[in-house]
Coordinates of all heavy atoms in Angstrom, one line a residue:
M158 N -74.6 312.8 -96.2 CA -74.4 312.9 -97.6 C -73.3 311.9 -98.0 O -72.3 311.7 -97.4 CB -73.9 314.3 -97.9 CG -73.5 314.5 -99.4 SD -72.6 316.0 -99.7 CE -74.0 317.1 -100.2
T159 N -73.7 311.2 -99.1 CA -72.8 310.1 -99.6 C -71.8 310.8 -100.6 O -72.2 311.5 -101.5 CB -73.6 309.0 -100.3 OG1 -74.6 308.5 -99.5 CG2 -72.7 307.9 -100.8
T160 N -70.5 310.5 -100.3 CA -69.5 311.0 -101.2 C -69.4 310.2 -102.5 O -69.8 309.1 -102.5 CB -68.1 311.1 -100.5 OG1 -67.7 309.8 -100.3 CG2 -68.2 311.9 -99.2
E161 N -68.7 310.7 -103.5 CA -68.5 310.0 -104.7 C -67.7 308.7 -104.5 O -68.0 307.7 -105.1 CB -67.8 310.9 -105.7 CG -67.7 310.3 -107.1 CD -69.0 310.0 -107.7 OE1 -70.0 310.8 -107.5 OE2 -69.1 309.0 -108.5
I162 N -66.7 308.7 -103.6 CA -65.9 307.5 -103.3 C -66.8 306.5 -102.6 O -66.6 305.3 -102.9 CB -64.6 307.9 -102.6 CG1 -63.6 306.7 -102.6 CG2 -64.9 308.1 -101.1 CD1 -62.7 306.9 -103.8
E163 N -67.7 306.9 -101.8 CA -68.6 305.9 -101.1 C -69.5 305.3 -102.1 O -69.8 304.1 -102.0 CB -69.4 306.6 -100.0 CG -68.5 307.0 -98.8 CD -69.2 307.9 -97.8 OE1 -70.1 308.8 -98.2 OE2 -69.0 307.7 -96.6
K164 N -70.0 306.0 -103.1 CA -70.8 305.5 -104.1 C -70.1 304.5 -105.0 O -70.6 303.4 -105.3 CB -71.4 306.6 -105.0 CG -72.4 307.5 -104.4 CD -72.8 308.6 -105.3 CE -73.8 309.5 -104.7 NZ -74.2 310.7 -105.5
R165 N -68.8 304.8 -105.3 CA -68.0 303.9 -106.1 C -67.7 302.6 -105.3 O -67.8 301.5 -105.9 CB -66.7 304.6 -106.5 CG -67.0 305.7 -107.5 CD -65.7 306.5 -107.9 NE -64.6 305.7 -108.4 CZ -63.4 306.1 -108.4 NH1 -63.0 307.3 -108.0 NH2 -62.5 305.2 -108.9
I166 N -67.4 302.7 -104.0 CA -67.1 301.5 -103.2 C -68.4 300.7 -103.1 O -68.4 299.5 -103.2 CB -66.6 301.9 -101.8 CG1 -65.2 302.5 -102.0 CG2 -66.7 300.8 -100.9 CD1 -64.6 303.1 -100.7
A167 N -69.6 301.3 -102.9 CA -70.8 300.6 -102.8 C -71.1 299.9 -104.1 O -71.6 298.7 -104.1 CB -72.0 301.6 -102.5
S168 N -70.8 300.5 -105.2 CA -71.0 299.9 -106.5 C -70.1 298.6 -106.7 O -70.6 297.6 -107.2 CB -70.8 300.9 -107.7 OG -70.9 300.3 -108.9
L169 N -68.9 298.8 -106.3 CA -67.9 297.7 -106.4 C -68.3 296.5 -105.5 O -68.2 295.3 -105.9 CB -66.5 298.1 -106.1 CG -65.8 299.0 -107.1 CD1 -64.5 299.6 -106.5 CD2 -65.5 298.2 -108.4
E170 N -68.8 296.9 -104.3 CA -69.3 295.8 -103.4 C -70.5 295.1 -103.9 O -70.6 293.9 -103.8 CB -69.6 296.4 -102.0 CG -68.3 296.8 -101.2 CD -68.6 297.6 -99.9 OE1 -69.7 298.2 -99.8 OE2 -67.7 297.6 -99.1
A171 N -71.4 295.9 -104.5 CA -72.6 295.2 -105.1 C -72.2 294.3 -106.3 O -72.7 293.2 -106.3 CB -73.5 296.3 -105.6
E172 N -71.3 294.7 -107.1 CA -70.8 293.8 -108.2 C -70.2 292.6 -107.6 O -70.4 291.5 -108.2 CB -69.9 294.6 -109.1 CG -70.5 295.6 -110.0 CD -69.6 296.3 -110.9 OE1 -68.4 295.8 -111.1 OE2 -70.0 297.3 -111.5
R173 N -69.4 292.7 -106.6 CA -68.7 291.6 -106.0 C -69.7 290.6 -105.4 O -69.6 289.4 -105.6 CB -67.7 292.1 -104.9 CG -67.0 291.0 -104.3 CD -66.0 290.4 -105.2 NE -65.2 289.4 -104.5 CZ -64.4 288.6 -105.1 NH1 -64.1 288.7 -106.4 NH2 -63.7 287.7 -104.4
A174 N -70.8 291.1 -104.8 CA -71.8 290.3 -104.2 C -72.6 289.5 -105.3 O -72.9 288.4 -105.2 CB -72.8 291.1 -103.4
I175 N -72.8 290.2 -106.5 CA -73.5 289.6 -107.6 C -72.6 288.4 -108.1 O -73.1 287.3 -108.4 CB -73.8 290.6 -108.7 CG1 -74.9 291.5 -108.2 CG2 -74.2 289.9 -110.0 CD1 -75.1 292.8 -109.0
L176 N -71.3 288.7 -108.3 CA -70.4 287.6 -108.8 C -70.4 286.4 -107.8 O -70.4 285.3 -108.2 CB -69.0 288.2 -108.9 CG -68.7 289.0 -110.1 CD1 -67.3 289.6 -110.1 CD2 -68.8 288.2 -111.4
K177 N -70.4 286.7 -106.5 CA -70.5 285.6 -105.5 C -71.7 284.8 -105.7 O -71.7 283.6 -105.7 CB -70.4 286.2 -104.1 CG -70.4 285.1 -103.1 CD -70.3 285.6 -101.7 CE -70.3 284.5 -100.7 NZ -70.3 284.9 -99.3
T178 N -72.9 285.5 -106.0 CA -74.1 284.8 -106.2 C -74.0 283.9 -107.5 O -74.5 282.8 -107.5 CB -75.3 285.8 -106.3 OG1 -75.4 286.5 -105.1 CG2 -76.6 285.1 -106.6
L179 N -73.5 284.4 -108.5 CA -73.3 283.7 -109.8 C -72.5 282.4 -109.5 O -72.8 281.3 -110.0 CB -72.7 284.5 -110.9 CG -73.5 285.6 -111.5 CD1 -72.7 286.5 -112.4 CD2 -74.7 285.0 -112.2
H180 N -71.4 282.6 -108.8 CA -70.5 281.4 -108.5 C -71.2 280.4 -107.6 O -71.1 279.2 -107.8 CB -69.2 281.9 -107.9 CG -68.4 282.6 -108.9 ND1 -67.6 283.7 -108.4 CD2 -68.2 282.5 -110.2 CE1 -67.0 284.2 -109.5 NE2 -67.3 283.5 -110.6
T181 N -71.9 280.9 -106.6 CA -72.7 280.0 -105.7 C -73.7 279.2 -106.5 O -73.9 278.0 -106.3 CB -73.4 280.9 -104.6 OG1 -72.4 281.5 -103.8 CG2 -74.2 280.0 -103.7
Y182 N -74.4 279.9 -107.4 CA -75.4 279.2 -108.3 C -74.8 278.0 -109.0 O -75.3 276.9 -108.9 CB -76.0 280.2 -109.3 CG -76.7 279.6 -110.4 CD1 -78.1 279.5 -110.4 CD2 -76.1 279.2 -111.6 CE1 -78.8 278.9 -111.4 CE2 -76.8 278.7 -112.6 CZ -78.1 278.5 -112.6 OH -78.8 278.0 -113.6
G183 N -73.7 278.2 -109.6 CA -73.0 277.1 -110.4 C -72.6 276.0 -109.5 O -72.8 274.8 -109.7
H184 N -71.9 276.3 -108.4 CA -71.4 275.3 -107.5 C -72.6 274.5 -106.8 O -72.5 273.3 -106.7 CB -70.5 275.9 -106.4 CG -69.2 276.3 -106.8 ND1 -68.2 275.4 -107.0 CD2 -68.7 277.5 -107.1 CE1 -67.1 276.0 -107.4 NE2 -67.4 277.3 -107.5
A185 N -73.6 275.2 -106.4 CA -74.8 274.6 -105.8 C -75.5 273.7 -106.8 O -75.8 272.5 -106.4 CB -75.7 275.7 -105.3
L186 N -75.7 274.1 -108.0 CA -76.3 273.3 -109.0 C -75.5 272.0 -109.3 O -76.0 270.9 -109.4 CB -76.7 274.1 -110.2 CG -77.6 273.5 -111.2 CD1 -78.9 273.0 -110.6 CD2 -77.9 274.4 -112.4
D187 N -74.2 272.2 -109.5 CA -73.3 271.1 -109.9 C -73.2 270.1 -108.8 O -73.1 268.9 -109.1 CB -71.9 271.7 -110.2 CG -71.8 272.5 -111.5 OD1 -72.8 272.4 -112.3 OD2 -70.8 273.2 -111.6
Y188 N -73.2 270.5 -107.5 CA -72.9 269.6 -106.5 C -74.1 269.3 -105.6 O -74.0 268.6 -104.5 CB -71.8 270.1 -105.6 CG -70.5 270.1 -106.4 CD1 -70.0 271.3 -106.9 CD2 -69.9 268.9 -106.8 CE1 -68.8 271.3 -107.7 CE2 -68.7 268.9 -107.6 CZ -68.2 270.1 -108.0 OH -67.1 270.1 -108.8
G189 N -75.3 269.7 -106.0 CA -76.6 269.3 -105.3 C -76.8 270.0 -104.0 O -77.4 269.5 -103.1
R190 N -76.3 271.2 -103.9 CA -76.5 272.0 -102.6 C -77.8 272.9 -102.7 O -77.7 274.1 -103.1 CB -75.3 272.9 -102.4 CG -74.0 272.1 -102.2 CD -72.8 272.9 -102.0 NE -71.6 272.1 -101.9 CZ -70.5 272.5 -102.4 NH1 -70.3 273.6 -103.0 NH2 -69.4 271.7 -102.3
E191 N -78.9 272.2 -102.4 CA -80.2 272.9 -102.6 C -80.4 274.2 -101.9 O -80.8 275.2 -102.4 CB -81.3 271.9 -102.2 CG -82.7 272.4 -102.5 CD -83.8 271.4 -102.2 OE1 -83.8 270.3 -102.8 OE2 -84.6 271.6 -101.3
K192 N -80.0 274.2 -100.6 CA -80.2 275.4 -99.8 C -79.4 276.6 -100.4 O -79.9 277.7 -100.5 CB -79.8 275.2 -98.3 CG -80.0 276.4 -97.5 CD -79.4 276.3 -96.1 CE -79.6 277.5 -95.2 NZ -79.3 278.8 -95.8
D193 N -78.1 276.3 -100.8 CA -77.3 277.3 -101.4 C -77.9 277.8 -102.7 O -77.9 279.0 -103.0 CB -75.9 276.8 -101.6 CG -75.1 276.6 -100.3 OD1 -75.5 277.1 -99.3 OD2 -74.1 275.9 -100.4
F194 N -78.4 276.9 -103.4 CA -79.1 277.3 -104.7 C -80.3 278.2 -104.4 O -80.4 279.3 -105.1 CB -79.5 276.0 -105.4 CG -80.2 276.3 -106.8 CD1 -79.5 276.5 -107.9 CD2 -81.6 276.3 -106.9 CE1 -80.1 276.7 -109.1 CE2 -82.2 276.5 -108.1 CZ -81.4 276.7 -109.2
L195 N -81.2 277.8 -103.5 CA -82.3 278.6 -103.2 C -82.0 280.0 -102.6 O -82.7 281.0 -102.9 CB -83.3 277.9 -102.3 CG -83.9 276.7 -102.9 CD1 -84.8 275.9 -101.9 CD2 -84.8 277.0 -104.1
D196 N -80.9 280.0 -101.9 CA -80.4 281.3 -101.3 C -79.9 282.3 -102.3 O -79.7 283.5 -102.0 CB -79.3 281.1 -100.3 CG -79.8 280.5 -99.0 OD1 -81.0 280.5 -98.7 OD2 -78.9 280.0 -98.2
C197 N -79.8 281.9 -103.6 CA -79.4 282.8 -104.7 C -80.6 283.7 -105.0 O -80.4 284.7 -105.7 CB -79.0 282.1 -105.9 SG -77.4 281.2 -105.7
W198 N -81.8 283.4 -104.6 CA -83.0 284.2 -104.9 C -83.8 284.6 -103.7 O -83.8 283.9 -102.7 CB -84.0 283.4 -105.8 CG -83.5 283.2 -107.2 CD1 -83.7 284.0 -108.2 CD2 -82.7 282.2 -107.7 NE1 -83.1 283.6 -109.3 CE2 -82.5 282.4 -109.0 CE3 -82.1 281.0 -107.1 CZ2 -81.7 281.5 -109.8 CZ3 -81.4 280.2 -107.8 CH2 -81.2 280.4 -109.2
L199 N -84.4 285.8 -103.8 CA -85.4 286.1 -102.7 C -86.6 285.1 -102.9 O -86.7 284.5 -103.9 CB -85.9 287.5 -103.0 CG -84.9 288.7 -102.8 CD1 -85.4 290.0 -103.3 CD2 -84.4 288.7 -101.3
P200 N -87.4 285.0 -101.8 CA -88.5 284.0 -101.9 C -89.4 284.2 -103.1 O -90.0 283.2 -103.6 CB -89.2 284.2 -100.6 CG -88.2 284.7 -99.7 CD -87.3 285.6 -100.5
D201 N -89.5 285.4 -103.6 CA -90.4 285.6 -104.8 C -89.6 285.9 -106.0 O -90.1 286.3 -107.0 CB -91.3 286.8 -104.5 CG -90.6 288.1 -104.3 OD1 -89.3 288.1 -104.1 OD2 -91.2 289.2 -104.3
G202 N -88.3 285.5 -106.0 CA -87.4 285.7 -107.2 C -87.8 284.8 -108.3 O -88.6 283.8 -108.2
T203 N -87.4 285.2 -109.5 CA -87.7 284.5 -110.7 C -86.4 284.1 -111.5 O -85.4 284.8 -111.4 CB -88.6 285.3 -111.7 OG1 -87.9 286.5 -112.1 CG2 -89.9 285.6 -111.0
L204 N -86.5 283.0 -112.3 CA -85.4 282.6 -113.1 C -86.0 282.2 -114.4 O -87.0 281.3 -114.5 CB -84.7 281.4 -112.5 CG -83.7 280.6 -113.3 CD1 -82.5 281.5 -113.8 CD2 -83.2 279.4 -112.6
D205 N -85.5 282.7 -115.5 CA -86.0 282.3 -116.9 C -84.9 281.3 -117.3 O -83.9 281.7 -117.8 CB -86.1 283.5 -117.8 CG -86.7 283.1 -119.1 OD1 -87.1 281.9 -119.3 OD2 -86.9 284.0 -120.0
W206 N -85.2 280.0 -117.1 CA -84.2 278.9 -117.4 C -84.5 278.3 -118.7 O -85.6 277.9 -119.0 CB -84.4 277.9 -116.3 CG -83.1 277.2 -115.9 CD1 -81.9 277.4 -116.3 CD2 -83.0 276.2 -114.8 NE1 -81.0 276.6 -115.7 CE2 -81.7 275.9 -114.7 CE3 -83.9 275.6 -113.9 CZ2 -81.2 275.0 -113.8 CZ3 -83.5 274.7 -113.0 CH2 -82.1 274.4 -113.0
P207 N -83.5 278.3 -119.6 CA -83.6 277.8 -121.0 C -84.2 276.3 -120.9 O -83.8 275.6 -120.0 CB -82.2 277.8 -121.6 CG -81.5 278.9 -120.8 CD -82.1 278.8 -119.4
N208 N -85.0 276.0 -121.8 CA -85.6 274.7 -121.9 C -86.6 274.3 -120.8 O -87.1 273.2 -120.7 CB -84.6 273.6 -122.1 CG -83.7 273.8 -123.3 OD1 -84.2 274.2 -124.4 ND2 -82.4 273.6 -123.2
V209 N -86.7 275.2 -119.8 CA -87.6 274.9 -118.7 C -88.7 276.0 -118.6 O -89.9 275.7 -118.5 CB -86.8 274.9 -117.3 CG1 -87.8 274.8 -116.1 CG2 -85.8 273.8 -117.3
G210 N -88.3 277.3 -118.8 CA -89.2 278.4 -118.8 C -89.1 279.2 -117.6 O -88.1 279.1 -116.9
L211 N -90.0 280.0 -117.3 CA -90.0 281.0 -116.2 C -90.4 280.3 -114.9 O -91.4 279.7 -114.8 CB -91.0 282.1 -116.4 CG -90.9 283.3 -115.5 CD1 -89.5 284.0 -115.5 CD2 -92.0 284.3 -115.7
L212 N -89.5 280.4 -113.9 CA -89.7 279.8 -112.6 C -89.9 281.0 -111.6 O -89.1 281.9 -111.6 CB -88.5 279.0 -112.2 CG -88.0 277.9 -113.2 CD1 -86.7 277.3 -112.8 CD2 -89.1 276.8 -113.2
S213 N -90.9 280.9 -110.8 CA -91.2 282.0 -109.9 C -91.3 281.4 -108.5 O -92.1 280.5 -108.2 CB -92.5 282.7 -110.2 OG -92.4 283.4 -111.4
G214 N -90.5 282.0 -107.6 CA -90.6 281.6 -106.2 C -89.8 280.3 -105.9 O -89.4 279.6 -106.8
H215 N -89.5 280.1 -104.6 CA -88.7 279.0 -104.2 C -89.3 277.7 -104.5 O -88.5 276.7 -104.7 CB -88.4 279.2 -102.7 CG -87.3 280.1 -102.4 ND1 -86.7 280.2 -101.1 CD2 -86.6 281.0 -103.2 CE1 -85.8 281.1 -101.1 NE2 -85.7 281.6 -102.4
D216 N -90.6 277.5 -104.5 CA -91.2 276.2 -104.8 C -90.9 275.8 -106.2 O -90.4 274.7 -106.4 CB -92.7 276.3 -104.6 CG -93.1 276.3 -103.1 OD1 -92.3 276.0 -102.3 OD2 -94.3 276.7 -102.8
D217 N -91.0 276.7 -107.2 CA -90.7 276.4 -108.6 C -89.2 276.1 -108.7 O -88.8 275.2 -109.4 CB -91.1 277.5 -109.5 CG -92.5 277.6 -109.9 OD1 -93.3 276.6 -109.5 OD2 -93.0 278.5 -110.6
L218 N -88.4 277.0 -108.1 CA -86.9 276.8 -108.2 C -86.5 275.5 -107.6 O -85.6 274.8 -108.1 CB -86.2 278.0 -107.5 CG -86.4 279.4 -108.1 CD1 -86.0 280.5 -107.2 CD2 -85.5 279.4 -109.4
R219 N -87.1 275.1 -106.5 CA -86.7 273.8 -105.8 C -87.1 272.7 -106.7 O -86.3 271.7 -106.9 CB -87.5 273.7 -104.5 CG -87.1 272.5 -103.7 CD -87.9 272.4 -102.3 NE -87.4 273.4 -101.5 CZ -88.2 274.5 -101.2 NH1 -89.4 274.7 -101.7 NH2 -87.7 275.5 -100.3
K220 N -88.3 272.7 -107.3 CA -88.7 271.6 -108.3 C -87.7 271.5 -109.4 O -87.3 270.4 -109.8 CB -90.1 271.8 -108.8 CG -91.1 271.6 -107.8 CD -92.5 272.0 -108.3 CE -93.6 272.0 -107.3 NZ -94.8 272.6 -107.7
A221 N -87.3 272.6 -110.0 CA -86.4 272.6 -111.1 C -85.0 272.1 -110.7 O -84.3 271.3 -111.4 CB -86.3 273.9 -111.8
F222 N -84.6 272.5 -109.5 CA -83.3 272.1 -109.0 C -83.3 270.6 -108.8 O -82.3 269.9 -109.1 CB -83.0 272.8 -107.6 CG -81.8 272.3 -106.9 CD1 -80.5 272.9 -107.2 CD2 -81.8 271.3 -106.0 CE1 -79.4 272.5 -106.6 CE2 -80.7 270.9 -105.3 CZ -79.4 271.5 -105.6
R223 N -84.3 270.1 -108.2 CA -84.4 268.6 -107.9 C -84.5 267.8 -109.2 O -84.0 266.6 -109.2 CB -85.5 268.3 -107.0 CG -85.3 268.8 -105.6 CD -86.4 268.6 -104.7 NE -86.1 269.1 -103.3 CZ -87.0 269.1 -102.3 NH1 -88.2 268.6 -102.5 NH2 -86.6 269.5 -101.1
A224 N -85.0 268.4 -110.3 CA -85.1 267.7 -111.5 C -83.8 267.7 -112.3 O -83.6 267.0 -113.3 CB -86.2 268.3 -112.4
H225 N -82.9 268.6 -111.9 CA -81.6 268.8 -112.6 C -80.6 267.7 -112.1 O -80.7 267.2 -111.0 CB -81.0 270.2 -112.3 CG -79.9 270.6 -113.2 ND1 -78.6 270.1 -113.1 CD2 -80.0 271.4 -114.3 CE1 -77.9 270.7 -114.1 NE2 -78.7 271.5 -114.8
T226 N -79.6 267.4 -112.9 CA -78.6 266.4 -112.4 C -77.6 267.1 -111.5 O -77.3 268.3 -111.6 CB -77.9 265.8 -113.7 OG1 -77.3 266.9 -114.4 CG2 -78.8 265.0 -114.5
H227 N -77.0 266.3 -110.7 CA -75.9 266.8 -109.7 C -74.9 265.7 -109.6 O -75.1 264.5 -109.8 CB -76.5 267.1 -108.4 CG -77.8 267.9 -108.4 ND1 -77.8 269.2 -108.6 CD2 -79.1 267.5 -108.2 CE1 -79.0 269.7 -108.6 NE2 -79.8 268.6 -108.3
A228 N -73.7 266.1 -109.2 CA -72.6 265.1 -108.8 C -73.1 264.4 -107.6 O -73.8 264.9 -106.8 CB -71.3 265.9 -108.5
P229 N -72.8 263.1 -107.4 CA -71.9 262.3 -108.2 C -72.6 261.6 -109.4 O -71.9 260.9 -110.1 CB -71.3 261.4 -107.2 CG -72.4 261.1 -106.2 CD -73.1 262.5 -106.2
E230 N -73.9 261.7 -109.4 CA -74.6 260.9 -110.5 C -74.1 261.4 -111.9 O -74.0 260.6 -112.8 CB -76.1 261.1 -110.4 CG -76.7 260.5 -109.2 CD -76.6 261.3 -108.0 OE1 -76.5 262.6 -108.1 OE2 -76.7 260.8 -106.8
L231 N -74.0 262.7 -112.1 CA -73.5 263.2 -113.3 C -72.6 264.4 -113.0 O -73.1 265.4 -112.4 CB -74.6 263.6 -114.3 CG -74.3 264.1 -115.6 CD1 -73.5 263.1 -116.4 CD2 -75.5 264.6 -116.4
F232 N -71.4 264.4 -113.5 CA -70.5 265.6 -113.2 C -70.6 266.6 -114.4 O -70.5 266.2 -115.6 CB -69.1 265.1 -113.1 CG -68.8 264.5 -111.7 CD1 -68.9 263.1 -111.6 CD2 -68.5 265.3 -110.6 CE1 -68.7 262.5 -110.3 CE2 -68.3 264.7 -109.4 CZ -68.4 263.3 -109.3
H233 N -70.8 267.8 -114.1 CA -70.7 268.9 -115.1 C -70.3 270.2 -114.3 O -70.4 270.2 -113.1 CB -72.0 269.1 -115.8 CG -73.2 269.0 -114.9 ND1 -73.6 270.0 -114.0 CD2 -74.2 268.1 -114.8 CE1 -74.7 269.7 -113.4 NE2 -75.1 268.5 -113.9
K234 N -69.8 271.1 -115.0 CA -69.4 272.4 -114.3 C -70.0 273.6 -115.0 O -69.9 273.7 -116.2 CB -67.8 272.5 -114.4 CG -67.1 271.6 -113.5 CD -67.4 271.9 -112.1 CE -66.4 272.7 -111.4 NZ -66.8 272.9 -110.0
H235 N -70.6 274.4 -114.2 CA -71.1 275.7 -114.7 C -69.9 276.7 -114.6 O -69.2 276.7 -113.5 CB -72.3 276.2 -113.9 CG -73.5 275.4 -114.2 ND1 -73.8 274.2 -113.7 CD2 -74.6 275.8 -115.0 CE1 -75.0 273.8 -114.2 NE2 -75.5 274.8 -115.0
V236 N -69.7 277.5 -115.6 CA -68.6 278.4 -115.6 C -69.1 279.8 -115.8 O -70.0 280.0 -116.7 CB -67.6 278.0 -116.7 CG1 -66.5 279.0 -116.7 CG2 -67.0 276.6 -116.4
V237 N -68.7 280.8 -115.1 CA -69.0 282.2 -115.3 C -67.8 282.9 -116.0 O -66.7 282.9 -115.4 CB -69.4 282.9 -114.0 CG1 -69.7 284.3 -114.2 CG2 -70.5 282.2 -113.3
A238 N -68.0 283.4 -117.1 CA -67.0 284.1 -117.9 C -67.4 285.5 -118.3 O -68.4 285.6 -119.1 CB -66.5 283.2 -119.1
A239 N -66.8 286.5 -117.8 CA -67.0 287.9 -118.2 C -68.5 288.3 -118.2 O -69.1 288.7 -119.2 CB -66.5 288.1 -119.6
P240 N -69.1 288.1 -117.0 CA -70.5 288.6 -116.9 C -70.6 290.1 -117.1 O -69.8 290.8 -116.6 CB -71.0 288.1 -115.5 CG -69.7 288.1 -114.7 CD -68.6 287.7 -115.7
L241 N -71.7 290.5 -117.7 CA -72.0 291.9 -117.9 C -73.0 292.3 -116.8 O -74.1 291.9 -116.7 CB -72.6 292.2 -119.2 CG -71.7 291.9 -120.4 CD1 -72.4 292.1 -121.7 CD2 -70.4 292.8 -120.4
I242 N -72.5 293.2 -115.8 CA -73.3 293.6 -114.7 C -73.6 295.1 -114.8 O -72.7 295.9 -114.9 CB -72.6 293.3 -113.3 CG1 -72.3 291.8 -113.2 CG2 -73.4 293.8 -112.2 CD1 -71.3 291.5 -112.0
T243 N -74.9 295.4 -114.9 CA -75.3 296.8 -114.9 C -76.1 297.1 -113.7 O -77.1 296.5 -113.4 CB -76.2 297.0 -116.2 OG1 -75.5 296.6 -117.3 CG2 -76.6 298.5 -116.3
L244 N -75.6 298.2 -113.0 CA -76.3 298.6 -111.8 C -77.0 299.9 -112.1 O -76.5 300.8 -112.6 CB -75.3 298.8 -110.7 CG -74.5 297.6 -110.2 CD1 -73.4 298.0 -109.3 CD2 -75.4 296.5 -109.6
E245 N -78.3 299.9 -111.7 CA -79.1 301.2 -111.8 C -79.9 301.4 -110.5 O -81.0 300.8 -110.3 CB -80.1 301.0 -113.0 CG -79.4 300.8 -114.4 CD -80.4 300.4 -115.5 OE1 -81.6 300.4 -115.2 OE2 -79.9 300.0 -116.5
G246 N -79.3 302.1 -109.6 CA -79.9 302.3 -108.3 C -79.9 300.9 -107.6 O -78.8 300.3 -107.4
D247 N -81.1 300.5 -107.1 CA -81.2 299.2 -106.4 C -81.4 298.0 -107.3 O -81.7 296.9 -106.9 CB -82.3 299.3 -105.4 CG -81.9 300.2 -104.2 OD1 -80.7 300.5 -104.0 OD2 -82.9 300.6 -103.5
I248 N -81.4 298.2 -108.7 CA -81.7 297.2 -109.6 C -80.4 296.8 -110.3 O -79.5 297.6 -110.7 CB -82.7 297.7 -110.7 CG1 -83.9 298.2 -110.1 CG2 -82.9 296.6 -111.8 CD1 -84.7 297.1 -109.4
A249 N -80.2 295.5 -110.5 CA -79.0 295.0 -111.2 C -79.5 294.1 -112.3 O -80.4 293.3 -112.1 CB -78.1 294.2 -110.2
R250 N -78.8 294.2 -113.4 CA -79.1 293.3 -114.6 C -77.8 292.6 -114.9 O -76.8 293.2 -115.0 CB -79.6 294.1 -115.8 CG -80.9 294.8 -115.5 CD -81.6 295.2 -116.7 NE -82.6 296.2 -116.5 CZ -83.7 296.0 -115.8 NH1 -83.9 294.9 -115.2 NH2 -84.6 297.0 -115.7
V251 N -77.9 291.2 -115.0 CA -76.7 290.4 -115.2 C -76.9 289.5 -116.4 O -77.9 288.9 -116.5 CB -76.3 289.6 -114.0 CG1 -75.1 288.8 -114.2 CG2 -76.2 290.5 -112.8

């Protein structure tokens, strides 16, 4: 039986893992770390990327990543500020 404190800790750990993924996404995209970028998604994961559209699976994600600019050719920084994370069982919305 899972206690209330164990549920709260699991929720906090899940939120922390999501934040780590968001930060990894930005660093990987900014600095051209393709493997780290792809590791942000399951193999069948999807991303609705503005001005690009819906990307499904690692093949689509890889193509979009390679078409994006990276340092040192062009420097930019993705920043995560106050993300809203909602956990509903095994589903997270960010």
